[in-house]
Amino acid sequence: MKKEISFTLNGSEVTVTIDEHLCLIDILRGPLGQTGTNEGCREGECGACTVIVDGQAVNSCLYPAFEVEGKNVITIEGLQEPNNKLSVFQQAFVDHGAIQCGFCTPGMIMSAKALLDTNQNPTEDEIRDALLGNLCRCTGYVQIVEAVKQAAVQLKNKK
Amino acid sequence: MKRFNYYKPRSLDEAWELKEKIPDALFIAGGTDILVGIKNGELYPPALISLRSIPELNSIKINGGAHIGALTTISDLIHHPALYNIYPVLVEAAKRLGSVQIRNVATIGGNLCNCSPCADMALPLLVLDAKVRLQTAKKNREIPIDEFFKGPGETNLTPNEILTGIVLESPRKSAKAIFLKKGRVRMDLAIASLAALMEMEGEKCQKARLAAGSVAPVPLRLFKVEAQLEGTTITDKLVAEAQQLAAESVAPITDIRATKEYRRQIVSVLVKRALKNILGWSQA
């Protein structure tokens, strides 16, 4: 059965007609054309599909699309800065070589953002815990953790 | 993926009505297990009845004891301002469940109803002597949690019944508890896990509760070990005997995560660490 749902996506109201059995990632990448969110394992292990729903990092592959009705969703596209400038997170990942193939990066950044939105001074343990559900098969995580530390400092200085 | 209808009832009555109409529908909480089951072709329900929008299932009430709504997410348990002070073992176990993304969605009731032998939330609830509240439109019952688990994926729930909440008594001041989990990596399911609680009066153990995960068809109370410890003064020798008894009480299987022999060994080690930690003899 098809149903219409409305929610906030990266600050804009969207209304979309969906099949009830779909998950959030299916409608993001499908009808909404937001392909920055990647689908890896489809079963909540890899975190490539991480987005933020009402302030919390979730796996969009395990989030029934129907449940985002009325909620506030932020995807990697929502971090875009005006004039093609790199966001704090993007710059930090570039500076530290925290990207190789890049497939896990959107999910990593969304998990990091969810952490830094609620905790301005995370310890390394807290960063590692926040990224536990995001697998990276290239970099070995050290550079990613360093990048999140840099992003934390820069975001704090911005405020 | 198989198609299904998705319903979002706003009340328990509405949920039961839907279930009456579509008997093969499944109730769904956070969905982190059911949706994986559907994607893998292990489950093929015609409809899912989501319990997420039923407000009465979503609260934690503390009043001497505690009532935890079944739809409380694992993250809500961790971030609750008062819960950790009263039931630290429950929150410690919550922190070891899955990843942040899973904890933000998975619920305490869903973890129990999925009835995996490795269910992290089952163990602290077993040692806290929790009760689960099971409701249908007509009947309301409360049973001790160790009667809830029947087998892998199989609970005491009747077809139309919903686990609505968990009831906890207030723990004695002298009670101390710990949760230990051994997995290959931190996020992984447990190879073996253990929760233990003891009430000590001086040197004497007044009450002991132990529960082990991933080592039997269900999250398992170790009744024999409890009986052996209660009423005794705990010595090194007794701890060694408890380890032996625990290893004999479990019935693990060999799977991709570990062999049954290794699981038995790990349970024994976890019992030692838990008891010594509770007694203040060592850090776990």
Side-chain angles (χ1 to χ4, degrees), chain A residues 20 50 57 61 67 129 134, chain B residues 6 8 39 50 101 103-104:
Chain A
E20 283 178 51
T50 303
C61 73
E67 296 284 356
D129 188 57
N134 294 82
Chain B
Y6 195 93
K8 279 181 19 175
K39 289 182 184 205
S50 168
Q101 291 96 316
R103 296 196 289 266
N104 283 341

Side-chain angles (χ1 to χ4, degrees), chain B residues 32-54:
Chain B
T32 55
D33 289 309
I34 285 187
L35 290 171
V36 173
I38 293 174
K39 289 182 184 205
N40 291 340
E42 292 152 10
L43 298 170
Y44 24 87
L48 295 178
I49 303 170
S50 168
L51 304 177
R52 282 196 214 192
S53 309
I54 303 176

Side-chain angles (χ1 to χ4, degrees), chain A residues 13 18 24 46 62 73-74 76 100 105-106 112 135 139 150-151 157 159:
Chain A
E13 277 297 314
I18 61 162
L24 178 54
C46 79
L62 288 186
V73 179
I74 304 172
I76 190 73
Q100 282 185 34
T105 310
L135 301 184
T139 68
Q150 176 183 316
N157 291 343
K159 277 179 188 166

Side-chain angles (χ1 to χ4, degrees), chain B residues 157-259:
Chain B
L157 286 166
T158 59
N160 289 0
E161 222 165 19
I162 295 175
L163 188 157
T164 55
I166 291 125
V167 183
L168 288 165
E169 283 181 18
S170 136
R172 292 247 179 116
K173 284 263 183 306
S174 58
K176 219 184 140 199
I178 188 170
F179 174 81
L180 299 172
K181 175 174 170 181
K182 166 79 181 159
R184 195 182 64 81
V185 292
R186 209 181 140 87
M187 182 184 153
D188 204 358
L189 300 178
I191 287 171
S193 49
L194 183 88
L197 176 147
M198 285 206 282
E199 285 175 21
M200 300 298 293
E201 209 178 273
E203 298 284 284
K204 226 172 191 180
C205 169
Q206 294 296 330
K207 177 176 167 183
R209 289 286 180 272
L210 286 91
S214 294
V215 289
V218 292
L220 193 71
R221 272 272 298 272
L222 304 176
F223 289 105
K224 282 187 186 164
V225 182
E226 295 171 3
Q228 179 221 26
L229 294 170
E230 283 179 355
T232 63
T233 301
I234 300 193
T235 59
D236 269 324
K237 185 166 164 282
L238 200 68
V239 172
E241 285 168 16
Q243 286 183 259
Q244 180 68 31
L245 201 54
E248 287 165 11
S249 305
V250 298
I253 56 165
T254 296
D255 66 10
I256 53 163
R257 290 198 170 75
T259 62

Side-chain angles (χ1 to χ4, degrees), chain B residues 5 7-9 11-28 34 45-51 54 135-138 157-163:
Chain B
N5 291 332
Y7 297 96
K8 279 181 19 175
S11 69
L12 280 169
D13 285 332
E14 209 186 311
W16 286 312
E17 253 173 57
L18 283 162
K19 178 76 178 165
E20 288 274 323
K21 269 189 222 154
I22 319 163
D24 291 335
L26 291 177
F27 292 120
I28 180 174
I34 285 187
L48 295 178
I49 303 170
S50 168
L51 304 177
I54 303 176
Q135 287 180 249
T136 63
K138 296 185 191 93
L157 286 166
T158 59
N160 289 0
E161 222 165 19
I162 295 175
L163 188 157

